[in-house]
Structure formats: C-alpha cells, structure tokens
Amino acid sequence: MPERDEPTGALVRPYAVTRGRTRPKLEIALEALVETTVRGRSGVIRGGQGGSEHQYIAAMCDGGRVQSLAEIAARMQLPLGVARVIVADMASDGLVAVYEPTSLEDETDAVGTELLERVLSGLRRL
C-alpha cells in the first residue's frame, strides 16, 4: 500500500489530537498566515520533536510557503477548531509565526488614508 503524504484526519479523533482541549492558547483568525520559524525548522522538521501534526504543519509552512489557518485545516482534513488549537500551541512554543490580518481601522499610513479619501471623492462626483 503506498504511503500518503498528508494525514487523513480520520485516523485519530480530534479530541485526542488536542488532548481534549477546545480553546486555543491564542486567538487566531481564520485567514491568519502561518510560517515555520527557525526554531520550528530545527526542532520539529529536522529534530523530529512534536507529534505528526506538528511535523506536517511545520513542513507545510516552511521555505516561504506561508499558509492560512483555513488551508492548514483543509489539507490536514481536521476541523478548524482542532487546527487552531494545534497552531496556537506551536506559536506559543515559538515553532511557527502567525501573521494576523490587519484591518483598515489599524491603518495609520497617510498614503493609504489619502487614497481612500480620493476614492470617496471620486465616488461622490459620480
């Protein structure tokens, strides 16, 4: 039987993967981007630390291949909540970096504000 490159998610119950936890250590948005850190690369990928889920996520998000939390859950065939708990654990251990999306409210860039004002002005002229 050929080996699979991706975990199937059906082999292990989700609560077993998270050790019964349903709440992540960190709140992570669905569209947040995840990237393996140097520590994750050396400890998880090369060193074999962590479970198979940790190893798979670290390999998937390594080498400039940044993945969203939603993509990770889909590729691992796990519920989003389970993937969120695993990624939050990895982030708190410094194995992955999580880049949260920014909103327009956080935008302090004068150029961005100026652009939005020009668009609004142009729409008013229509």
Side-chain angles (χ1 to χ4, degrees), residues 28-30 69-74 78-86:
I28 302 174
L30 177 70
L69 179 63
E71 291 172 311
I72 292 169
L78 287 173
L80 182 60
V82 173
R84 186 175 273 140
V85 169
I86 296 169

Side-chain angles (χ1 to χ4, degrees), residues 76-100:
M76 294 185 71
Q77 299 178 3
L78 287 173
L80 182 60
V82 173
R84 186 175 273 140
V85 169
I86 296 169
V87 170
D89 288 350
M90 292 179 73
S92 67
D93 292 340
L95 304 175
V96 295
V98 176
Y99 304 105
E100 291 288 343

